Amino acid sequence: MNLNEYIQKQYNNDPMWFELEVNQGNHAARIAGVIANRDYLAGKHNVLLRENSQYKGKQFVTRKTILNYAKTVIRFHDTYLLGKPVQLSCSDDETARLYTEIHKLGQYDTTDYEILDRVNKFGDAYEVVYMDGGTIRSKVLDSACCYPVYDDNGNYISFVEHWTDVYTGISYYNVYYPGYVQHWSNEGGDEHLTGTDSSVGLPIHYHNFSDMDYNFGESILTDIKPIMDDLEDIMSKLGDSIYVNVLGAIPVATGQYIQSSIPADAVGYVLNLDNGTFEYANCQLDYQTIKLYLDNLKQMLNDIACIPSVLGSSTNIANVSSISMQILMMMANLNADETKKWLNLGFAQRFAQWQQILALQGIKSVASGVQVIYNISQPVERTEMIDNLAALRDLGAISTETIMEKSDIVSDVDVEKERLAHEQQNE
């Protein structure tokens, strides 16, 4: 089904079909989820809904402990896979050189990181490729303003970017068609077309794998928010319990009542009561039970978030080999391998749009042969890594350029190659 058939079937060829599209229930629910995750990352957690109470005749403001560990989880997965720049490889050397230059000039290392960050936070990210003067660049759109259009067969046929200015109340629509984009606005009254621009394709839709909807992704927060809510709730209540029931103990005396007083600065005075006792009424907390509960919650959080507990200082380890480190990082590596799969799907669409732009400039390239090489930020014993690369080089199984790409000692491969060439020329 193409876009015209979709508009005819769903909206009876209404020219303002995009207004009706953004009000569909599935879009409203998804955008509400994006806003909820944004609020959560900003610190608006369920623990803030705890009600205050009365204590000793006054209002007792209950603790509302916020543990924004979700930011740490997302930041870890972002930097683990894309903290270091990626390299582009292709069987055609000219295409590899050209695309690497585009990647550097367009500052795509930052764009790639932003895409992964948006998907981890909201489940979806949207990239628009455009020309900025003579440079190919990309813009990552706000996930709360994006409405991709899919037909009944799951085909991506159109895209609507919509937002409303909170100060002026003016609504804006950028409606993307396969070859162009229309700009609409209701400034001054009813919606009207304000301009049309050409485009090389629809915005690239990045999303991870979800069991709820194959066309959209799912945020990491979906899995870890329930555990975080439980941790924040128990920590807040535990803090109140320590203050009220342990530190705020009430002295209780039984026996004959004595009509007398003790000086305010008295120390070491003892009351002797007939057939009486004296004690502090307080609550004894079971330390081992509480520790077991909290430790299990934190361990489950790390397991679900695919983060080794050692990174959170929950475990003390000595110096370990690279094999032992790989075992510790196994879950993080599994998550990174899955992330590469859906990232590569989006990158292939990006390279195809680059190819279209270059073709308009009369430059030929082979986008289908471009591969992305990721440099995972996994702790590696440097001496062991260099020895392994040297052994591969001695066997003739690896090139000098690949060795420089895999080594964290070399920050810029191209600059290093030029320096080596200059040294060889001098020699």
Side-chain angles (χ1 to χ4, degrees), residues 104 122 155 169 172 214 232 288-289 326 345 347 377 384 393 398:
K104 288 185 177 180
F122 311 122
N155 298 317
Y172 300 91
Y214 295 150
E232 291 174 341
Q288 292 299 332
T289 301
Q326 291 176 8
L345 294 176
F347 289 158
S377 301
E384 183 177 353
R393 178 58 179 168
I398 194 172

Side-chain angles (χ1 to χ4, degrees), residues 95-306:
T95 299
R97 183 198 63 78
L98 178 61
Y99 278 37
T100 299
E101 187 69 17
I102 294 174
H103 198 275
K104 288 185 177 180
L105 292 178
Q107 299 180 342
Y108 273 93
D109 287 331
T110 302
T111 303
D112 296 342
Y113 186 92
E114 190 175 0
I115 289 172
L116 180 56
D117 185 65
R118 295 285 177 87
V119 173
N120 285 335
K121 290 177 179 178
F122 311 122
D124 303 90
Y126 308 90
E127 175 190 4
V128 175
V129 180
Y130 66 98
M131 285 293 295
D132 180 15
T135 304
I136 299 177
R137 298 186 184 275
S138 284
K139 175 184 178 182
V140 182
L141 303 179
D142 187 349
S143 298
C145 303
C146 297
Y147 302 82
V149 181
Y150 289 88
D151 64 12
D152 296 337
N153 296 322
N155 298 317
Y156 184 29
I157 57 176
S158 184
F159 182 89
V160 181
E161 182 186 13
H162 164 60
W163 73 95
T164 300
D165 192 301
V166 295
Y167 299 104
T168 63
I170 299 174
S171 295
Y172 300 91
Y173 298 86
N174 294 330
V175 185
Y176 288 81
Y177 297 88
Y180 61 97
V181 53
Q182 291 182 343
H183 307 283
W184 296 75
S185 170
N186 65 354
E187 184 176 5
D190 296 334
E191 283 78 6
H192 57 278
L193 183 65
T194 60
T196 303
D197 294 324
S198 61
S199 68
V200 293
L202 301 177
I204 303 170
H205 182 189
Y206 295 83
H207 64 87
N208 53 25
F209 304 119
S210 172
D211 296 324
M212 294 294 294
D213 191 337
Y214 295 150
N215 293 328
F216 295 91
E218 189 175 58
S219 170
I220 293 177
L221 300 179
T222 304
D223 294 329
I224 67 176
K225 274 201 298 186
I227 300 179
M228 290 303 306
D229 289 341
D230 201 1
L231 268 173
E232 291 174 341
D233 185 61
I234 189 63
M235 292 298 292
S236 299
K237 291 179 179 178
L238 184 60
D240 290 340
S241 299
I242 293 174
Y243 177 77
V244 175
N245 299 325
V246 178
L247 300 180
I250 301 175
V252 177
T254 61
Q256 181 181 0
Y257 180 72
I258 299 177
Q259 295 288 345
S260 62
S261 62
I262 299 177
D265 59 349
V267 176
Y269 279 65
V270 177
L271 288 176
N272 291 320
L273 305 177
D274 293 338
N275 298 323
T277 61
F278 179 82
E279 61 183 2
Y280 281 98
N282 62 346
C283 177
Q284 300 295 329
L285 297 179
D286 189 345
Y287 166 77
Q288 292 299 332
T289 301
I290 296 174
K291 183 178 184 301
L292 177 64
Y293 180 72
L294 291 177
D295 288 347
N296 284 334
L297 274 181
K298 289 187 289 185
Q299 185 59 49
M300 286 187 291
L301 176 63
N302 289 329
D303 291 343
I304 293 174
C306 298

Side-chain angles (χ1 to χ4, degrees), residues 11-69:
Y11 306 108
N12 196 24
N13 281 333
D14 190 336
M16 307 301 295
W17 66 273
F18 50 86
E19 283 188 310
L20 303 174
E21 176 69 27
V22 300
N23 291 322
Q24 293 290 338
N26 61 322
H27 289 304
R30 180 176 51 82
I31 297 301
V34 171
I35 296 175
N37 285 351
R38 179 180 294 175
D39 290 342
Y40 183 86
L41 293 170
K44 298 179 181 179
H45 297 190
N46 289 341
V47 71
L48 296 176
L49 302 177
R50 291 191 66 204
E51 296 183 358
N52 298 329
S53 61
Q54 295 291 323
Y55 179 65
K56 294 184 179 180
K58 297 181 180 179
Q59 184 184 34
F60 177 72
V61 180
T62 57
R63 278 172 172 74
K64 302 169 181 64
T65 304
I66 294 177
L67 307 174
N68 217 335
Y69 187 64

